[in-house]
Amino acid sequence: MPRLSEVIAALENLWPAERAESWDAVGTVVGDPEQPVTRVLFAVDPVRAIVDEAVELGADLLVTHHPLYLRGTTTVAASTFKGHVVHTLIKNDIALHVAHTNADTADPGVSDALAGALDLRVVRPLVPDPTDPAGRRGLGRICELDHPLPLREFAARAAERLPATAQGIRVAGDPDAVVRTVAVSGGSGDSLFDQVRAAGVDAFLTADLRHHPASEAVHHSPLALLDAAHWATEWPWCELAAAQLDEISDREGWDLRVHVSATVTDPWTAHAASSPTASPMGAPN
């Protein structure tokens, strides 16, 4: 039975904190280094529903992709949303560890897991990490399909393979356009349009695409866009990370029980499709 400090050391080896962005907040948030760990839960968000799930599961360690405190705070009072999370974790002897941008750029990382969920072959990073001589680490991935597909069929594959959300998959581009190469980036990706265009891919699948960057992107090139829910593009990493820890546990003889939360923590809960006959006020149908 390993101590928390031993498990954290293994996680830090997978996702070193020094590879996180300077603005990020990664690492261990709560937890006694000497406490034993037998059960671990992986999830995207450290929200109350996930913490309650960890309590019910009897987990000793919760590992999330998103930080609990990305910006500074002056209180962890239980009357606050995040303070309640901290109090619940401590009362139940559950440690919390975060791997965010250091997991995004890892090899394998968040975008590798996303590519794997879509049956894409990873060719190289979209934005390579200059400190990696092997050229495998970095943000996003450039990928190839096993065989060309019309955009509408690739979008349908994404909708089928990624976890279901109210948003589903939004698409910009000619539905009949042939897709052979795809750039993927788990999480918010519209800051990467310059790199995506430079890569010359047929499509870009990411999340949180805003109106103006997306509009400019499709007017500058025939690039197709697929916009999935933020949570859905990052959840496959939880399965990858759990498998990595399972492998370490077997190698070290720890006999950890490692779980992945299936709780949907995407904030959007419903989707009402527009009527095909709807039009702006005063405009002809």
Side-chain angles (χ1 to χ4, degrees):
M1 185 183 301
R3 294 171 298 165
L4 175 64
S5 59
E6 295 175 281
V7 179
I8 294 302
L11 299 183
E12 285 285 352
N13 189 54
L14 293 174
W15 317 298
E18 60 268 22
R19 292 188 188 148
E21 295 290 339
S22 59
W23 50 263
D24 206 359
V26 301
T28 304
V29 181
V30 300
D32 179 352
E34 296 302 314
Q35 75 182 66
V37 176
T38 61
R39 195 182 295 268
V40 183
L41 177 65
F42 282 84
V44 174
D45 297 298
V47 295
R48 185 175 298 188
I50 296 298
V51 172
D52 289 345
E53 182 179 348
V55 172
E56 184 175 352
L57 184 67
D60 308 296
L61 171 61
L62 171 62
V63 181
T64 65
H65 182 52
H66 289 154
L68 178 63
Y69 287 104
L70 188 55
R71 297 173 180 83
T73 185
T74 59
T75 178
V76 291
S79 56
T80 65
F81 167 73
K82 294 185 178 182
H84 178 84
V85 166
V86 171
H87 278 255
T88 303
L89 290 169
I90 293 174
K91 283 181 178 179
N92 291 277
D93 291 325
I94 303 172
L96 171 62
H97 186 80
V98 173
H100 191 213
T101 53
N102 49 333
D104 286 333
T105 59
D107 170 35
V110 171
S111 292
D112 292 291
L114 175 57
L118 300 172
D119 279 344
L120 301 175
R121 184 177 73 85
V122 172
V123 177
R124 63 185 185 276
L126 174 62
V127 185
D129 180 347
T131 69
D132 177 22
R136 295 178 60 87
R137 293 198 308 267
L139 189 60
R141 296 293 185 266
I142 296 172
C143 309
E144 295 177 344
L145 277 74
D146 49 1
H147 60 275
L149 287 177
L151 176 58
R152 63 162 51 89
E153 291 186 25
F154 180 60
R157 177 192 289 191
E160 178 185 356
R161 301 289 179 82
L162 294 181
T165 61
Q167 173 181 319
I169 308 293
R170 299 191 300 177
V171 181
D174 178 0
D176 295 318
V178 176
V179 176
R180 296 179 177 84
T181 56
V182 182
V184 301
S185 183
S188 303
D190 66 12
S191 65
L192 301 174
F193 275 130
D194 287 345
Q195 291 89 341
V196 171
R197 280 191 288 265
V201 294
D202 300 315
F204 180 33
L205 187 149
T206 187
D208 297 343
L209 291 181
R210 295 170 296 162
H211 174 87
H212 292 295
S215 178
E216 291 173 7
V218 297
H219 282 93
H220 277 106
S221 72
L223 177 69
L225 304 178
L226 297 96
D227 183 36
H230 189 122
W231 171 84
T233 63
E234 293 178 332
W235 185 85
W237 172 80
C238 295
E239 291 194 319
L240 169 64
Q244 289 177 286
L245 183 56
D246 257 334
E247 182 180 350
I248 294 169
S249 174
D250 289 344
R251 186 169 66 242
E252 298 292 335
W254 287 346
D255 195 28
L256 291 177
R257 286 161 287 180
V258 182
H259 306 263
V260 175
S261 173
T263 301
V264 179
T265 54
D266 185 71
W268 307 106
T269 57
H271 172 76
S274 300
S275 167
T277 60
S279 62
M281 291 181 63
N285 288 318

